[in-house]
Structure formats: structure tokens, C-alpha cells
């Protein structure tokens, strides 16, 4: 590890520990960028260590349904999915939960172990995709699931208990297999430490706040307590769910999709200082439905808007996704960051 990488790691680790300082970091996860000017810099972004993908099996949204007994099926585009396993609430009690290593999750763990042995020792491996227990239950149950939430809530809760226990066991095994090589921030693709887990709580916008509080929060919090800290993700953040999100325990970072949520200025104001804010900037995000009203001309204008609304206690770590392929936009974003003192070069790294 170079001295500059060591210093960058120290700075970022301090930010994770204390997310109340006005600091801005950003990463493209070692992606190839389109700008020759930025490629020529010693460090154009805040990526102290390369993180390898955990592989297709680990990133399959249906990892846990497949591990818990759902049969594999394939969509028309060739993507693997999970056929529903539960068609009747009575099947929940009969569901046998396998040992982690005996399931699809075990295949993922063996792949991770092989990766760790094959990759250079300074390369991290990103944690697999961990969906919330409610997301997993919805995939395991057939189309009657939403009716069951109302008519058979006890059966749904029993299934959620089983799923939660399995997820906690799996995350603990990932930590055992990868040790300090684990980058536990499953999404977005930024640098993070070896402990904790990402949780994708994407069903929050499909239920009322009251139903989300009953069927998701208790299980997300069990995982946060047993396998945290938590890197909390939900694509869509609406103000009526803010109170629920504030109840999630042991949160290290918050991620949302700015193009599919309420005004990012509102989210930044409401959640700064509680944890790192880690929104991602995707290609053409400024044209997403929830941002059209602002009239941003490109992603760099959206990015400026986000920076302009940071608070005195905002620590932010952006992920630049495919937008790194747009040279002019990426250079505008970098120059804006450098002018405000947020680049590694501005820090003397």
C-alpha cells in the first residue's frame, strides 16, 4: 500500500467514524474513466483500495430466495430469478431452513473464499447483495403475498423470522471468510470497512408507513444489531417514510436514488449528521422523473445542486456510476469538487 493510499484510508475511516463534519468524498470504484486529464492524476477520486465484484451469484437479487428453497427460473432476457415457493400460509411452518453452507449461499461463500485466495492481498472483495427480509419474503411468496400481509400477518412474521436468522448467519460467514478483505458496503460501490452489512429495503415505497414499520423495521433492526453496522439502502425516499428510516438502528450510511425520490435538498437536510450520506450519480440521472422539474442541463448541474445544499454537518461519499463515461460532464464535476477543496489533490494527497 502506498503512503498516499494509507493516508486516504485514514481520512475516510475517520469520516465513517464521525459523520458530522462538512466533508465530501467520491469514488468510481476504480472504474475506467473517459477523461485522459483525470487519468493522469495520481488520485483523481477517493478510492484507496480496489474492490473486486463478488461475482454474479453473489449479486443476484434472488440469492436468499434461492438459498431458502425457491427453484431457479429464467426471465426472457436470460436473467436468473426465483420461482415462488409459498402459495399458502400453512407452508411457512413446514419450510426447512438449510444451514448456510448447504444452500446457494454456500456456493457464494465458496466463491468468495476462492477469490480471496486468488486476488492480490491488497484487493478487497465487496459483500454480496443483501436484501431486507421483507424483500426476500415477497420474492418467495406468490402473488397472494400482499393479501397475506392483511389476512395472515402471523404467518408472514414467522417467515420473516426465518429469513432474518438466515441472513444474519450468512453475513457472519461472509465476515469469517473474507476477514479484513471484506468491503461491507455492498452498494453503492464506494470504499468501506470490513464489518457490517448493506441492507436493500426497497419495499418501503410499496407499503404504507404503518405496514413498513410492522413488517420491515423490526427485522432490519435485528440484522443491524446482530451483524451491523448497517449500510442502509432504499431506492425511493419519500418524506412520509422519513420517521421510519430514522428508526433504523446502528446505521453507518444512507443511500438513495436522487432521481427517484423527494427533493435531494430535503433528504440532505433531514439526515445529515446521523450517518454518511452516500447517494449515487448515474448517467442521465438529471432526466429522471423526480428531477425533471429542476431543469438540470446535465449530471454536473445536478451534482452542483447536491453540493450547494450540503449542511454544516454533512459528510457525503458519492458514487459516480456510468457517468464516468461522459468526459465533459465528469471533468466539470471534478473541477467543481477541486474548486471547493474536496479532491485528494486539494487535500495534498
Amino acid at each position: 500500500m502506498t503512503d498516499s493510499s494509507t493516508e486516504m484510508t485514514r481520512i475516510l475511516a475517520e469520516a465513517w467514524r464521525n459523520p458530522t463534519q462538512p466533508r465530501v468524498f467520491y469514488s468510481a470504484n476504480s472504474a475506467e474513466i473517459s477523461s485522459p486529464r483525470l487519468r493522469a492524476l495520481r488520485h483523481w477520486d477517493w478510492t484507496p483500495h480496489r474492490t473486486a465484484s463478488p461475482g454474479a451469484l453473489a449479486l443476484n437479487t434472488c440469492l436468499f430466495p434461492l438459498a431458502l428453497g425457491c427453484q431457479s427460473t429464467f426471465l426472457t432476457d436470460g436473467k436468473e430469478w426465483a420461482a415462488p415457493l409459498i402459495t399458502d400460509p400453512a407452508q411457512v411452518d413446514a419450510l426447512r431452513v438449510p444451514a448456510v453452507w448447504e444452500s446457494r449461499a454456500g456456493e457464494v461463500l465458496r466463491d468468495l473464499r476462492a477469490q480471496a485466495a486468488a486476488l492480490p492481498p491488497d484487493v478487497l472483495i465487496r459483500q454480496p447483495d443483501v436484501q431486507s427480509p421483507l424483500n426476500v419474503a415477497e420474492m418467495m411468496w406468490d402473488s397472494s403475498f400482499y393479501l397475506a400481509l392483511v389476512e395472515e400477518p402471523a404467518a408472514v412474521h414467522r417467515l420473516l423470522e426465518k429469513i432474518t436468522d438466515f441472513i444474519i448467519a450468512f453475513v457472519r460467514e461472509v465476515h469469517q471468510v473474507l476477514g479484513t478483505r471484506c468491503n461491507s458496503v455492498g452498494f453503492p460501490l464506494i470504499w468501506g470497512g470490513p464489518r457490517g452489512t448493506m441492507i436493500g429495503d426497497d419495499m418501503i415505497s410499496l407499503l404504507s408507513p404503518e405496514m413498513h414499520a410492522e413488517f420491515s423495521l423490526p427485522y432490519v433492526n435485528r440484522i443491524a444489531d446482530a451483524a451491523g453496522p448497517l449500510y442502509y439502502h432504499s431506492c425511493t425516499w419519500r418524506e412520509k417514510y422519513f420517521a421510519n428510516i430514522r428508526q433504523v438502528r446502528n446505521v453507518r450510511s444512507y443511500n438513495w436514488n436522487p432521481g427517484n425520490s423527494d427533493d435531494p435538498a430535503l433528504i440532505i437536510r433531514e439526515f445529515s449528521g446521523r450517518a454518511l450520506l452516500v447517494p449515487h450519480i448515474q448517467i442521465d440521472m438529471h432526466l429522471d422523473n423526480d428531477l425533471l422539474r429542476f431543469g438540470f442541463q446535465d449530471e454536473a448541474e445536478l451534482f452542483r445542486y447536491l453540493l450547494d445544499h450540503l449542511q454544516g454537518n454533512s459528510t457525503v461519499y458519492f458514487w459516480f456510476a456510468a457517468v464516468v463515461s461522459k468526459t465533459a460532464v465528469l471533468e466539470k464535476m471534478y473541477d467543481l469538487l477541486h474548486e471547493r477543496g474536496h479532491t485528494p489533490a486539494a487535500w495534498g494527497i
Side-chain angles (χ1 to χ4, degrees):
M1 187 190 306
T2 66
D3 290 343
S4 59
S5 294
T6 301
E7 178 64 3
M8 191 181 294
T9 300
R10 185 194 65 77
I11 291 168
L12 289 169
E14 171 57 26
W16 283 108
R17 285 191 296 268
N18 181 16
T20 61
Q21 303 299 313
R23 293 173 293 199
V24 176
F25 308 104
Y26 57 97
S27 174
N29 190 39
S30 304
E32 185 66 25
I33 62 174
S34 61
S35 167
R37 172 165 72 90
L38 300 187
R39 286 201 304 268
L41 298 173
R42 186 182 190 186
H43 297 288
W44 82 270
D45 73 344
W46 291 86
T47 306
H49 309 279
R50 185 166 74 85
T51 299
S53 168
L57 286 180
L59 295 177
N60 189 332
T61 306
C62 292
L63 166 60
F64 294 108
L66 292 170
L68 289 166
C70 290
Q71 293 298 306
S72 177
T73 186
F74 291 88
L75 305 180
T76 55
D77 62 0
K79 181 179 180 180
E80 185 181 27
W81 201 246
L85 177 67
I86 297 171
T87 60
D88 186 286
Q91 294 171 296
V92 170
D93 292 329
L95 177 67
R96 174 189 171 270
V97 177
V100 171
W101 284 89
E102 295 174 359
S103 67
R104 169 65 73 92
E107 294 181 49
V108 170
L109 291 168
R110 284 185 283 275
D111 284 351
L112 294 176
R113 186 164 57 194
Q115 271 191 290
L119 289 170
D122 61 337
V123 176
L124 306 180
I125 301 170
R126 199 168 298 281
Q127 192 187 85
D129 186 332
V130 179
Q131 296 292 305
S132 75
L134 185 62
N135 289 16
V136 176
E138 194 265 353
M139 288 185 277
M140 293 181 67
W141 208 297
D142 71 1
S143 59
S144 66
F145 178 71
Y146 291 93
L147 186 62
L149 291 173
V150 177
E151 295 186 347
E152 300 285 346
V156 175
H157 280 294
R158 291 195 297 274
L159 178 60
L160 290 169
E161 290 284 351
K162 293 184 176 186
I163 294 169
T164 301
D165 289 341
F166 188 86
I167 290 175
I168 290 169
F170 173 75
V171 171
R172 287 174 171 168
E173 291 299 320
V174 171
H175 292 161
Q176 286 293 317
V177 167
L178 294 181
T180 59
R181 302 281 298 281
C182 183
N183 181 344
S184 288
V185 189
F187 188 87
L189 307 187
I190 57 177
W191 176 86
R195 286 292 174 263
T197 183
M198 168 248 179
I199 283 287
D201 193 21
D202 285 320
M203 281 189 66
I204 188 170
S205 60
L206 301 179
L207 303 174
S208 68
E210 294 77 17
M211 293 189 78
H212 176 262
E214 177 181 353
F215 291 103
S216 189
L217 269 180
Y219 305 100
V220 168
N221 278 333
R222 274 194 56 203
I223 295 169
D225 293 341
L230 211 65
Y231 307 99
Y232 181 83
H233 158 84
S234 186
C235 281
T236 304
W237 283 36
R238 303 295 182 197
E239 189 172 9
K240 66 180 180 179
Y241 299 99
F242 285 3
N244 284 12
I245 296 172
R246 290 191 189 97
Q247 292 182 55
V248 179
R249 296 194 291 265
N250 200 14
V251 177
R252 184 67 59 85
S253 69
Y254 294 112
N255 168 255
W256 74 98
N257 180 348
N260 192 37
S261 297
D262 282 349
D263 186 346
L266 172 65
I267 295 171
I268 290 169
R269 188 183 74 221
E270 292 297 319
F271 288 91
S272 286
R274 300 178 64 90
L276 259 73
L277 306 181
V278 294
H280 52 283
I281 307 297
Q282 182 57 275
I283 195 166
D284 292 336
M285 181 176 276
H286 63 295
L287 300 177
D288 287 350
N289 286 339
D290 282 292
L291 293 175
L292 282 176
R293 61 192 173 99
F294 293 98
F296 300 128
Q297 295 303 301
D298 60 21
E299 299 90 339
E301 283 196 9
L302 163 62
F303 187 58
R304 181 187 293 273
Y305 180 81
L306 292 168
L307 293 179
D308 286 347
H309 286 87
L310 298 182
Q311 308 294 297
N313 61 344
S314 301
T315 301
V316 189
Y317 197 173
F318 293 97
W319 174 45
F320 295 165
V323 69
V324 299
S325 67
K326 299 176 75 170
T327 302
V329 168
L330 182 62
E331 290 183 350
K332 284 166 63 176
M333 292 165 66
Y334 177 86
D335 291 341
L336 179 61
L337 287 158
H338 191 66
E339 290 165 8
R340 300 190 184 196
H342 301 314
T343 62
W347 280 64
I349 297 175

